[in-house]
Amino acid sequence: MSDDVQRIVDDLASRLNRSVIIDTPAIQVRAVSRHFGDEDDVRIQGILQRQAPNAAITHILDQGVQDWIRTGFIPADDTLHMKRRMCCPIRWQGELLGFMMIIDADATLTPDEVSTAELAANMAAGVMIRESQDNQRERLESEALLGQLLSADNDETRAALHRLTADHRMSDDAANLVEVELIAPTEHKDRYELILRETLETLVKHRAGETILFQTTATRATVVQIGHPTRLDTDDFLTALKTALEHALGPTAEPCRLGTARSADLTSLATIRDRASTALAATRRIPRTGDLVHWEDLGFYALILHIPDDTLRRTIPPAIPMLLAADPSKDLLRTAEVFLDAGGVASIAAAHLHVHRTTLYYRLSRITETTGLDLQDGLDRLTLHLAIKAAKVCGYL
């Protein structure tokens, strides 16, 4: 059916002798004709990158095209090197399936040519609605199956596993679960939701030899990659997922956040989802962790992240406010953290702090005097170390 849409675009472009494109509702390229000498920078970049530049997408959406029910024209924008375009919404019984756009820089499209384009858009709608319905059916099946796998009901989980095996959709039971979050500006939330769903649908089709199930809720998604343990390339999958999303969102968008966890037992996916959610929380709550976190790398943070920020702030050990009161510059806190991160090895801590070892020992003695904690004692060390990390997680520091 994709070829049918492409044929409609090519035939219309030849008849009008103009460049034609069909975009998805999120303004990602769906089908495109060859150039007819009327192309602009936005069209060229859109073809090369499979979507228009972010500023051009904003310009298009600012015209309210997602609410259009009939053909209109998108004005030129010289700052974007973008020419005037005819825009025909492609709808089926009110459902928006995409947009047909034709460059019309000098406003010479005749009413008959516009009618011809609208007829082609209607033909494309007939093809695209079937694809949309197929995608929706597959998505609903995927969501239902994943819902069973994530269920706390063992009978539902067993039924889902039986179904996967019966459909020959899995060769083993290794899984990689990813929690995805897009940081959407309020005015673009609907577009981000479309991008998330469209990107995941495309990724599923292109990952041969793997079973990928996903659920989306607004700008969040749960994605499960299932495959043979020796062939499940989780790093490649995560890179492909992150790259595809960030490409679709454009260079000015905030990076998407991913938290992930692995399992060799599909019957414990509910637990793995909880771990992946904890890893996702780490991207928000732990400074400098980056926007992709593996639960297996969290260490003791996996415990701290289960405690709400307000609870952490209320229960911060007194050593932290004592050190802040004694040294508002936070040199003592920084020294304590680096020293404890270095396992109490003075030479490593001094090197990281760029101070002489004598200075380090002086600061350590002040920390002990201020807090009453003995940094030679393992339990006192643990208390101070966890206190500093917890204070950073909850924003106290």
Side-chain angles (χ1 to χ4, degrees):
M1 286 189 282
S2 297
D3 290 342
D4 291 339
V5 175
Q6 185 62 55
R7 277 192 290 270
I8 291 169
V9 167
D10 290 337
D11 178 66
L12 178 63
S14 296
R15 292 173 66 184
L16 299 182
N17 199 37
R18 293 175 184 266
S19 300
V20 179
I21 193 169
I22 288 182
D23 285 330
T24 70
I27 320 297
Q28 294 180 291
V29 174
R30 174 67 177 72
V32 61
S33 73
R34 68 178 179 86
H35 297 322
F36 282 80
D38 55 354
E39 64 273 7
D40 58 13
D41 289 355
V42 170
R43 175 181 165 85
I44 293 169
Q45 186 170 336
I47 293 172
L48 292 175
Q49 303 293 329
R50 302 306 297 171
Q51 70 170 36
N54 224 38
I57 292 174
T58 299
H59 176 63
I60 292 168
L61 295 178
D62 283 349
Q63 312 309 311
V65 294
Q66 291 183 320
D67 297 322
W68 287 9
I69 58 174
R70 58 179 59 88
T71 300
F73 289 86
I74 298 169
D77 188 321
D78 293 338
T79 63
L80 300 175
H81 304 287
M82 179 177 176
K83 297 178 180 178
R84 180 179 186 264
R85 281 159 166 70
M86 186 207 86
C87 176
C88 178
I90 301 174
R91 292 185 181 273
W92 184 269
Q93 297 181 350
E95 180 184 348
L96 180 63
L97 302 173
F99 303 97
M100 175 180 284
M101 298 194 196
I102 302 173
I103 291 181
D104 183 33
D106 49 6
T108 55
L109 268 174
T110 67
D112 285 345
E113 288 175 325
V114 172
S115 296
T116 299
E118 290 174 336
L119 180 60
N122 288 335
M123 292 172 60
V127 177
M128 293 168 68
I129 189 59
R130 293 195 295 274
E131 291 185 347
S132 176
Q133 290 169 344
D134 288 345
N135 288 339
Q136 184 178 31
R137 183 168 52 253
E138 291 174 3
R139 184 170 66 251
L140 291 174
E141 289 176 355
S142 172
E143 289 177 350
L145 189 57
L146 183 53
Q148 286 183 303
L149 288 171
L150 293 171
S151 173
D153 186 324
N154 290 334
D155 289 339
E156 283 199 15
T157 301
R158 281 192 292 270
L161 289 171
H162 176 74
R163 186 173 160 198
L164 279 170
T165 305
D167 290 347
H168 305 289
R169 296 172 65 184
M170 59 179 287
S171 56
D172 216 313
D173 57 358
N176 180 43
L177 192 147
V178 189
E179 287 289 303
V180 182
E181 181 178 48
L182 305 186
I183 313 303
T186 303
E187 64 274 20
H188 295 314
K189 186 177 179 182
D190 290 345
R191 176 174 169 257
Y192 275 50
E193 291 180 25
L194 283 170
I195 285 175
L196 180 58
R197 189 172 68 244
E198 289 177 3
T199 301
L200 288 171
E201 287 174 350
T202 301
L203 192 66
V204 167
K205 293 175 182 176
H206 292 161
R207 299 292 296 188
E210 295 176 349
T211 294
I212 298 174
L213 307 174
F214 69 88
Q215 297 174 334
T216 61
T217 304
T219 54
R220 286 282 301 267
T222 299
V223 187
V224 178
Q225 175 196 21
I226 304 171
H228 192 279
T230 61
R231 296 192 297 271
L232 196 64
D233 192 339
T234 56
D235 289 339
D236 175 72
F237 175 72
L238 291 169
T239 299
L241 174 58
K242 197 169 191 307
T243 300
L245 285 170
E246 292 183 349
H247 171 72
L249 293 171
T252 60
E254 285 197 50
C256 58
R257 294 171 175 164
L258 281 73
T260 181
R262 288 199 61 167
S263 173
D265 181 4
L266 291 183
T267 61
S268 62
L269 272 188
T271 299
I272 300 306
R273 183 185 192 179
D274 182 61
R275 291 177 178 179
S277 295
T278 300
L280 180 63
T283 67
R284 298 187 298 267
R285 297 175 64 192
I286 302 178
R288 295 183 296 279
T289 55
D291 43 46
L292 169 59
V293 173
H294 299 265
W295 180 85
E296 293 80 4
D297 296 335
L298 283 176
F300 72 91
Y301 278 118
L303 298 175
I304 292 178
L305 289 166
H306 277 282
I307 304 173
D309 284 347
D310 58 345
T311 302
L312 284 176
R313 281 190 286 269
R314 289 197 307 270
T315 55
I316 290 294
I320 302 300
M322 286 178 177
L323 288 172
L324 284 173
D327 176 27
S329 71
K330 298 183 181 179
D331 280 346
L332 293 182
L333 273 167
R334 169 69 176 153
T335 297
E337 182 176 22
V338 171
F339 176 73
L340 294 169
D341 283 349
V345 179
S347 58
I348 295 175
H352 284 178
L353 290 165
H354 304 291
V355 298
H356 193 275
R357 215 177 301 187
T358 303
T359 302
L360 173 65
Y361 289 136
Y362 168 71
R363 290 182 183 177
L364 292 176
S365 66
R366 282 198 62 198
I367 291 169
T368 296
E369 290 170 6
T370 302
T371 65
L373 295 173
D374 180 2
L375 296 185
Q376 300 301 313
D377 179 83
L379 189 57
D380 280 0
R381 279 192 187 187
L382 180 62
T383 297
L384 183 56
H385 207 181
L386 285 177
I388 293 171
K389 300 302 185 184
K392 286 190 168 184
V393 166
C394 69
Y396 189 93
L397 290 178

